[in-house]
Amino acid sequence: QVQLVESGGGLVQSGGSLRLSCAASGFTLSSYIMNWYRQAPGKERDLVAGISAGGVTNYTDSVKGRFTISRDNAKNTAYLQMNSLKPEDTAVYYCNARHWRFSYGFWGQGTQVTVSS
């Protein structure tokens, strides 16, 4: 079955780091744009970072210089390295894979990231 499984979330203090992983099964990531979204309670789900099939990255302004998105197609996995975490980064983080050509995609179940002050 098609599946995206996120891991690596948890509780961290302000200034700390976490690395989120998104492992795909049932399909291969090489033809997909990979994205990380996050959603805090009562807020819209917002795009945090994206990486194209060719490795071009983009970030929302609030995480530039702190977060790094990457992919390892051989492992069929995408990552989000989060450094210098702030309490405002607290949210459920979701992995998304979108086919570069046909625009359909898949979502992970989400993983909670909580940053304490």
Side-chain angles (χ1 to χ4, degrees), residues 16 35 62 69 79 86 114:
N35 304 291
S62 63
I69 188 171
Y79 306 94
K86 305 174 181 180
T114 303

Side-chain angles (χ1 to χ4, degrees), residues 8-14 16-18 85 90 112-117:
L11 176 64
V12 66
Q13 64 183 0
S14 182
S17 298
L18 286 172
L85 282 162
T90 295
Q112 177 71 48
V113 172
T114 303
V115 184
S116 65
S117 59

Side-chain angles (χ1 to χ4, degrees), residues 19-20 22 24 27-36 50-57 59 68-81 96-100:
R19 190 193 196 201
L20 306 183
C22 175
F27 72 106
T28 57
L29 290 185
S30 60
S31 296
Y32 290 79
I33 299 166
M34 300 303 301
N35 304 291
W36 287 96
I51 183 168
S52 74
V56 178
T57 61
Y59 302 90
T68 303
I69 188 171
S70 62
R71 64 192 300 152
D72 187 338
N73 289 341
K75 295 182 178 180
N76 220 31
T77 302
Y79 306 94
L80 185 68
Q81 178 67 45
N96 167 261
R98 183 168 63 84
H99 197 276
W100 73 273

